Amino acid sequence: RRNVSEKIHLSSFGFCLPNKGFPQLIKSILILKENGFEVKLDMLNAIYNDQYKWFYYEMLNLIATLNLQHEITINGNYLSNQESLELLASSDLIIFPYQSTNESSSAAVRHGLASGASVAVTPLPIFDDVSDVVHYLPGISSVAIADGIMKWMTRDHLKKSHNKEWIEANRFSTLGIKLEGLIRSLQINE
């Protein structure tokens, strides 16, 4: 169990886009701070393209307006897979606060899981395929995200141990062997 006074290192990952819930996540950090929790949030959210720079600057402005510059950093640069995995691996919890999406699955959450850190997600169907290895936040609002983080911080983190099993089962080398077996089976049965 975590001590409330122990500083927790949170991260977010994925493109800096409006539907990803970053304003709600930023506001949840203020709620945590107001409730006496010490947190640090590293937002690893690359600017998707020039058309979305405004949103990145909006996030910087929100952080400044809420006076959270000491608690939150946002990195809008593209990072290599290795760089981002190393940064995410140093986190206690990676948060995917999506608000809505038409995507059927999330490559970003899979990358977060590959880091070995615990992962929390909002309760959306996009995360159904990883439901066994993530923590679900109780909702998509700032209050719900903060509540989910507080609950995670004060209980045992059982799903982190499942991450290693998930990572091994979903490695390209493991999936490649399964795919090769499937292809051979189809060839034999033709």
mmCIF file of all heavy atoms in Angstrom, residues 97-133:
data_model
loop_
_atom_site.group_PDB
_atom_site.id
_atom_site.type_symbol
_atom_site.label_atom_id
_atom_site.label_comp_id
_atom_site.label_asym_id
_atom_site.label_seq_id
_atom_site.Cartn_x
_atom_site.Cartn_y
_atom_site.Cartn_z
ATOM 1 N N PRO A 97 -6.501 8.884 -20.384
ATOM 2 C CA PRO A 97 -7.781 9.463 -19.979
ATOM 3 C C PRO A 97 -8.743 9.760 -21.133
ATOM 4 O O PRO A 97 -9.486 10.738 -21.103
ATOM 5 C CB PRO A 97 -7.337 10.758 -19.285
ATOM 6 C CG PRO A 97 -6.145 11.187 -20.096
ATOM 7 C CD PRO A 97 -5.449 9.897 -20.487
ATOM 8 N N TYR A 98 -8.743 8.901 -22.161
ATOM 9 C CA TYR A 98 -9.531 9.161 -23.365
ATOM 10 C C TYR A 98 -10.976 9.534 -23.008
ATOM 11 O O TYR A 98 -11.570 8.988 -22.090
ATOM 12 C CB TYR A 98 -9.575 7.921 -24.254
ATOM 13 C CG TYR A 98 -8.275 7.569 -24.943
ATOM 14 C CD1 TYR A 98 -7.042 7.953 -24.441
ATOM 15 C CD2 TYR A 98 -8.285 6.808 -26.090
ATOM 16 C CE1 TYR A 98 -5.860 7.611 -25.078
ATOM 17 C CE2 TYR A 98 -7.109 6.447 -26.732
ATOM 18 C CZ TYR A 98 -5.898 6.851 -26.223
ATOM 19 O OH TYR A 98 -4.742 6.504 -26.851
ATOM 20 N N GLN A 99 -11.531 10.453 -23.799
ATOM 21 C CA GLN A 99 -12.906 10.892 -23.618
ATOM 22 C C GLN A 99 -13.838 10.226 -24.631
ATOM 23 O O GLN A 99 -14.952 9.861 -24.296
ATOM 24 C CB GLN A 99 -12.991 12.414 -23.775
ATOM 25 C CG GLN A 99 -12.145 13.155 -22.761
ATOM 26 C CD GLN A 99 -12.646 12.956 -21.343
ATOM 27 O OE1 GLN A 99 -13.722 13.421 -21.014
ATOM 28 N NE2 GLN A 99 -11.881 12.255 -20.530
ATOM 29 N N SER A 100 -13.384 10.085 -25.840
ATOM 30 C CA SER A 100 -14.169 9.433 -26.892
ATOM 31 C C SER A 100 -13.215 9.072 -28.018
ATOM 32 O O SER A 100 -12.158 9.680 -28.167
ATOM 33 C CB SER A 100 -15.259 10.364 -27.425
ATOM 34 O OG SER A 100 -14.664 11.481 -28.061
ATOM 35 N N THR A 101 -13.590 8.077 -28.773
ATOM 36 C CA THR A 101 -12.768 7.691 -29.917
ATOM 37 C C THR A 101 -13.559 6.744 -30.810
ATOM 38 O O THR A 101 -14.443 6.028 -30.339
ATOM 39 C CB THR A 101 -11.451 7.025 -29.471
ATOM 40 O OG1 THR A 101 -10.668 6.746 -30.633
ATOM 41 C CG2 THR A 101 -11.673 5.751 -28.701
ATOM 42 N N ASN A 102 -13.238 6.756 -32.087
ATOM 43 C CA ASN A 102 -13.815 5.801 -33.030
ATOM 44 C C ASN A 102 -12.861 4.637 -33.276
ATOM 45 O O ASN A 102 -13.183 3.721 -34.020
ATOM 46 C CB ASN A 102 -14.132 6.493 -34.363
ATOM 47 C CG ASN A 102 -15.254 7.495 -34.221
ATOM 48 O OD1 ASN A 102 -16.152 7.312 -33.401
ATOM 49 N ND2 ASN A 102 -15.200 8.562 -34.995
ATOM 50 N N GLU A 103 -11.671 4.692 -32.635
ATOM 51 C CA GLU A 103 -10.684 3.639 -32.816
ATOM 52 C C GLU A 103 -11.162 2.355 -32.131
ATOM 53 O O GLU A 103 -11.857 2.400 -31.122
ATOM 54 C CB GLU A 103 -9.351 4.058 -32.200
ATOM 55 C CG GLU A 103 -8.732 5.286 -32.839
ATOM 56 C CD GLU A 103 -7.539 5.777 -32.051
ATOM 57 O OE1 GLU A 103 -6.517 5.081 -32.049
ATOM 58 O OE2 GLU A 103 -7.651 6.850 -31.437
ATOM 59 N N SER A 104 -10.756 1.217 -32.665
ATOM 60 C CA SER A 104 -11.166 -0.055 -32.078
ATOM 61 C C SER A 104 -10.164 -0.581 -31.052
ATOM 62 O O SER A 104 -10.503 -1.420 -30.226
ATOM 63 C CB SER A 104 -11.375 -1.100 -33.176
ATOM 64 O OG SER A 104 -10.168 -1.286 -33.898
ATOM 65 N N SER A 105 -8.928 -0.111 -31.115
ATOM 66 C CA SER A 105 -7.926 -0.476 -30.116
ATOM 67 C C SER A 105 -6.884 0.638 -30.070
ATOM 68 O O SER A 105 -6.840 1.489 -30.951
ATOM 69 C CB SER A 105 -7.262 -1.823 -30.439
ATOM 70 O OG SER A 105 -6.463 -1.713 -31.593
ATOM 71 N N SER A 106 -6.059 0.606 -29.037
ATOM 72 C CA SER A 106 -5.098 1.687 -28.849
ATOM 73 C C SER A 106 -3.668 1.169 -28.905
ATOM 74 O O SER A 106 -3.253 0.376 -28.054
ATOM 75 C CB SER A 106 -5.345 2.358 -27.496
ATOM 76 O OG SER A 106 -4.292 3.224 -27.165
ATOM 77 N N ALA A 107 -2.910 1.641 -29.891
ATOM 78 C CA ALA A 107 -1.487 1.308 -29.957
ATOM 79 C C ALA A 107 -0.746 1.972 -28.800
ATOM 80 O O ALA A 107 0.211 1.416 -28.266
ATOM 81 C CB ALA A 107 -0.896 1.748 -31.290
ATOM 82 N N ALA A 108 -1.204 3.160 -28.393
ATOM 83 C CA ALA A 108 -0.543 3.883 -27.302
ATOM 84 C C ALA A 108 -0.628 3.100 -25.997
ATOM 85 O O ALA A 108 0.355 3.002 -25.265
ATOM 86 C CB ALA A 108 -1.162 5.275 -27.136
ATOM 87 N N VAL A 109 -1.784 2.528 -25.693
ATOM 88 C CA VAL A 109 -1.907 1.774 -24.439
ATOM 89 C C VAL A 109 -1.038 0.519 -24.483
ATOM 90 O O VAL A 109 -0.447 0.134 -23.482
ATOM 91 C CB VAL A 109 -3.379 1.451 -24.088
ATOM 92 C CG1 VAL A 109 -3.922 0.270 -24.881
ATOM 93 C CG2 VAL A 109 -3.517 1.158 -22.595
ATOM 94 N N ARG A 110 -0.916 -0.094 -25.634
ATOM 95 C CA ARG A 110 -0.046 -1.274 -25.763
ATOM 96 C C ARG A 110 1.416 -0.887 -25.526
ATOM 97 O O ARG A 110 2.169 -1.626 -24.910
ATOM 98 C CB ARG A 110 -0.216 -1.913 -27.141
ATOM 99 C CG ARG A 110 -1.577 -2.545 -27.318
ATOM 100 C CD ARG A 110 -1.775 -3.089 -28.729
ATOM 101 N NE ARG A 110 -2.997 -3.831 -28.797
ATOM 102 C CZ ARG A 110 -3.160 -5.077 -28.352
ATOM 103 N NH1 ARG A 110 -2.147 -5.713 -27.815
ATOM 104 N NH2 ARG A 110 -4.321 -5.683 -28.440
ATOM 105 N N HIS A 111 1.788 0.287 -26.010
ATOM 106 C CA HIS A 111 3.148 0.787 -25.782
ATOM 107 C C HIS A 111 3.349 1.038 -24.287
ATOM 108 O O HIS A 111 4.389 0.690 -23.731
ATOM 109 C CB HIS A 111 3.374 2.065 -26.600
ATOM 110 C CG HIS A 111 4.796 2.499 -26.680
ATOM 111 N ND1 HIS A 111 5.748 1.837 -27.434
ATOM 112 C CD2 HIS A 111 5.440 3.535 -26.100
ATOM 113 C CE1 HIS A 111 6.909 2.452 -27.325
ATOM 114 N NE2 HIS A 111 6.749 3.491 -26.510
ATOM 115 N N GLY A 112 2.361 1.631 -23.653
ATOM 116 C CA GLY A 112 2.433 1.857 -22.206
ATOM 117 C C GLY A 112 2.588 0.559 -21.448
ATOM 118 O O GLY A 112 3.411 0.443 -20.536
ATOM 119 N N LEU A 113 1.815 -0.448 -21.813
ATOM 120 C CA LEU A 113 1.913 -1.758 -21.156
ATOM 121 C C LEU A 113 3.288 -2.388 -21.379
ATOM 122 O O LEU A 113 3.835 -3.024 -20.480
ATOM 123 C CB LEU A 113 0.814 -2.696 -21.666
ATOM 124 C CG LEU A 113 -0.588 -2.406 -21.152
ATOM 125 C CD1 LEU A 113 -1.634 -3.130 -21.999
ATOM 126 C CD2 LEU A 113 -0.707 -2.782 -19.687
ATOM 127 N N ALA A 114 3.842 -2.197 -22.572
ATOM 128 C CA ALA A 114 5.157 -2.764 -22.885
ATOM 129 C C ALA A 114 6.250 -2.197 -21.983
ATOM 130 O O ALA A 114 7.284 -2.822 -21.787
ATOM 131 C CB ALA A 114 5.500 -2.514 -24.353
ATOM 132 N N SER A 115 6.018 -1.017 -21.398
ATOM 133 C CA SER A 115 7.018 -0.419 -20.508
ATOM 134 C C SER A 115 7.130 -1.165 -19.183
ATOM 135 O O SER A 115 8.112 -1.020 -18.468
ATOM 136 C CB SER A 115 6.660 1.046 -20.227
ATOM 137 O OG SER A 115 5.564 1.124 -19.313
ATOM 138 N N GLY A 116 6.100 -1.946 -18.842
ATOM 139 C CA GLY A 116 6.111 -2.673 -17.574
ATOM 140 C C GLY A 116 5.484 -1.906 -16.425
ATOM 141 O O GLY A 116 5.284 -2.458 -15.348
ATOM 142 N N ALA A 117 5.162 -0.634 -16.627
ATOM 143 C CA ALA A 117 4.522 0.158 -15.574
ATOM 144 C C ALA A 117 3.032 -0.184 -15.519
ATOM 145 O O ALA A 117 2.461 -0.700 -16.479
ATOM 146 C CB ALA A 117 4.705 1.650 -15.854
ATOM 147 N N SER A 118 2.398 0.122 -14.394
ATOM 148 C CA SER A 118 0.951 -0.041 -14.282
ATOM 149 C C SER A 118 0.266 0.961 -15.196
ATOM 150 O O SER A 118 0.765 2.060 -15.420
ATOM 151 C CB SER A 118 0.502 0.199 -12.840
ATOM 152 O OG SER A 118 0.940 -0.853 -12.002
ATOM 153 N N VAL A 119 -0.904 0.576 -15.697
ATOM 154 C CA VAL A 119 -1.644 1.396 -16.645
ATOM 155 C C VAL A 119 -3.084 1.556 -16.163
ATOM 156 O O VAL A 119 -3.719 0.580 -15.771
ATOM 157 C CB VAL A 119 -1.619 0.761 -18.057
ATOM 158 C CG1 VAL A 119 -2.558 1.484 -19.010
ATOM 159 C CG2 VAL A 119 -0.197 0.744 -18.608
ATOM 160 N N ALA A 120 -3.588 2.795 -16.222
ATOM 161 C CA ALA A 120 -4.985 3.078 -15.897
ATOM 162 C C ALA A 120 -5.649 3.709 -17.118
ATOM 163 O O ALA A 120 -5.042 4.527 -17.805
ATOM 164 C CB ALA A 120 -5.077 4.021 -14.701
ATOM 165 N N VAL A 121 -6.900 3.328 -17.362
ATOM 166 C CA VAL A 121 -7.631 3.799 -18.535
ATOM 167 C C VAL A 121 -9.042 4.212 -18.135
ATOM 168 O O VAL A 121 -9.577 3.769 -17.126
ATOM 169 C CB VAL A 121 -7.716 2.703 -19.624
ATOM 170 C CG1 VAL A 121 -6.329 2.285 -20.092
ATOM 171 C CG2 VAL A 121 -8.495 1.482 -19.131
ATOM 172 N N THR A 122 -9.631 5.065 -18.957
ATOM 173 C CA THR A 122 -11.030 5.405 -18.762
ATOM 174 C C THR A 122 -11.882 4.247 -19.291
ATOM 175 O O THR A 122 -11.415 3.453 -20.120
ATOM 176 C CB THR A 122 -11.384 6.720 -19.494
ATOM 177 O OG1 THR A 122 -10.855 6.687 -20.816
ATOM 178 C CG2 THR A 122 -10.824 7.925 -18.748
ATOM 179 N N PRO A 123 -13.114 4.134 -18.808
ATOM 180 C CA PRO A 123 -13.948 2.972 -19.168
ATOM 181 C C PRO A 123 -14.577 3.099 -20.561
ATOM 182 O O PRO A 123 -15.761 3.352 -20.709
ATOM 183 C CB PRO A 123 -15.006 2.965 -18.064
ATOM 184 C CG PRO A 123 -15.131 4.390 -17.644
ATOM 185 C CD PRO A 123 -13.747 4.975 -17.800
ATOM 186 N N LEU A 124 -13.747 2.920 -21.583
ATOM 187 C CA LEU A 124 -14.209 3.000 -22.972
ATOM 188 C C LEU A 124 -13.914 1.683 -23.684
ATOM 189 O O LEU A 124 -12.936 0.995 -23.363
ATOM 190 C CB LEU A 124 -13.495 4.139 -23.704
ATOM 191 C CG LEU A 124 -13.733 5.564 -23.195
ATOM 192 C CD1 LEU A 124 -12.898 6.547 -23.999
ATOM 193 C CD2 LEU A 124 -15.199 5.935 -23.256
ATOM 194 N N PRO A 125 -14.716 1.322 -24.693
ATOM 195 C CA PRO A 125 -14.523 0.059 -25.423
ATOM 196 C C PRO A 125 -13.159 -0.080 -26.083
ATOM 197 O O PRO A 125 -12.702 -1.199 -26.302
ATOM 198 C CB PRO A 125 -15.635 0.078 -26.481
ATOM 199 C CG PRO A 125 -16.676 0.998 -25.936
ATOM 200 C CD PRO A 125 -15.935 2.026 -25.119
ATOM 201 N N ILE A 126 -12.472 1.033 -26.389
ATOM 202 C CA ILE A 126 -11.161 0.953 -27.032
ATOM 203 C C ILE A 126 -10.165 0.143 -26.197
ATOM 204 O O ILE A 126 -9.208 -0.418 -26.719
ATOM 205 C CB ILE A 126 -10.602 2.358 -27.341
ATOM 206 C CG1 ILE A 126 -9.342 2.255 -28.201
ATOM 207 C CG2 ILE A 126 -10.334 3.137 -26.068
ATOM 208 C CD1 ILE A 126 -8.829 3.581 -28.721
ATOM 209 N N PHE A 127 -10.405 0.042 -24.894
ATOM 210 C CA PHE A 127 -9.477 -0.658 -24.013
ATOM 211 C C PHE A 127 -9.937 -2.075 -23.662
ATOM 212 O O PHE A 127 -9.319 -2.738 -22.830
ATOM 213 C CB PHE A 127 -9.258 0.164 -22.735
ATOM 214 C CG PHE A 127 -8.726 1.542 -22.998
ATOM 215 C CD1 PHE A 127 -9.463 2.663 -22.664
ATOM 216 C CD2 PHE A 127 -7.488 1.727 -23.597
ATOM 217 C CE1 PHE A 127 -8.978 3.948 -22.906
ATOM 218 C CE2 PHE A 127 -6.993 2.996 -23.859
ATOM 219 C CZ PHE A 127 -7.748 4.108 -23.516
ATOM 220 N N ASP A 128 -11.015 -2.548 -24.273
ATOM 221 C CA ASP A 128 -11.545 -3.883 -23.952
ATOM 222 C C ASP A 128 -10.528 -4.999 -24.181
ATOM 223 O O ASP A 128 -10.480 -5.970 -23.427
ATOM 224 C CB ASP A 128 -12.808 -4.179 -24.762
ATOM 225 C CG ASP A 128 -14.024 -3.390 -24.284
ATOM 226 O OD1 ASP A 128 -13.935 -2.733 -23.217
ATOM 227 O OD2 ASP A 128 -15.057 -3.427 -24.985
ATOM 228 N N ASP A 129 -9.693 -4.854 -25.217
ATOM 229 C CA ASP A 129 -8.739 -5.923 -25.545
ATOM 230 C C ASP A 129 -7.606 -6.054 -24.528
ATOM 231 O O ASP A 129 -6.881 -7.047 -24.530
ATOM 232 C CB ASP A 129 -8.183 -5.754 -26.962
ATOM 233 C CG ASP A 129 -7.405 -4.467 -27.150
ATOM 234 O OD1 ASP A 129 -7.721 -3.458 -26.484
ATOM 235 O OD2 ASP A 129 -6.470 -4.457 -27.980
ATOM 236 N N VAL A 130 -7.453 -5.066 -23.642
ATOM 237 C CA VAL A 130 -6.398 -5.132 -22.619
ATOM 238 C C VAL A 130 -7.001 -5.082 -21.203
ATOM 239 O O VAL A 130 -6.306 -4.799 -20.234
ATOM 240 C CB VAL A 130 -5.351 -4.003 -22.807
ATOM 241 C CG1 VAL A 130 -4.551 -4.217 -24.087
ATOM 242 C CG2 VAL A 130 -6.007 -2.623 -22.791
ATOM 243 N N SER A 131 -8.285 -5.386 -21.105
ATOM 244 C CA SER A 131 -8.998 -5.240 -19.831
ATOM 245 C C SER A 131 -8.398 -6.066 -18.691
ATOM 246 O O SER A 131 -8.521 -5.684 -17.531
ATOM 247 C CB SER A 131 -10.478 -5.580 -20.001
ATOM 248 O OG SER A 131 -10.635 -6.930 -20.386
ATOM 249 N N ASP A 132 -7.755 -7.175 -19.009
ATOM 250 C CA ASP A 132 -7.175 -8.030 -17.962
ATOM 251 C C ASP A 132 -5.911 -7.454 -17.343
ATOM 252 O O ASP A 132 -5.485 -7.917 -16.279
ATOM 253 C CB ASP A 132 -6.840 -9.414 -18.527
ATOM 254 C CG ASP A 132 -8.085 -10.218 -18.859
ATOM 255 O OD1 ASP A 132 -9.173 -9.856 -18.363
ATOM 256 O OD2 ASP A 132 -7.976 -11.186 -19.629
ATOM 257 N N VAL A 133 -5.291 -6.456 -17.975
ATOM 258 C CA VAL A 133 -3.998 -5.964 -17.493
ATOM 259 C C VAL A 133 -3.965 -4.459 -17.226
ATOM 260 O O VAL A 133 -2.897 -3.888 -17.066
ATOM 261 C CB VAL A 133 -2.852 -6.352 -18.458
ATOM 262 C CG1 VAL A 133 -2.594 -7.851 -18.414
ATOM 263 C CG2 VAL A 133 -3.144 -5.889 -19.878
#
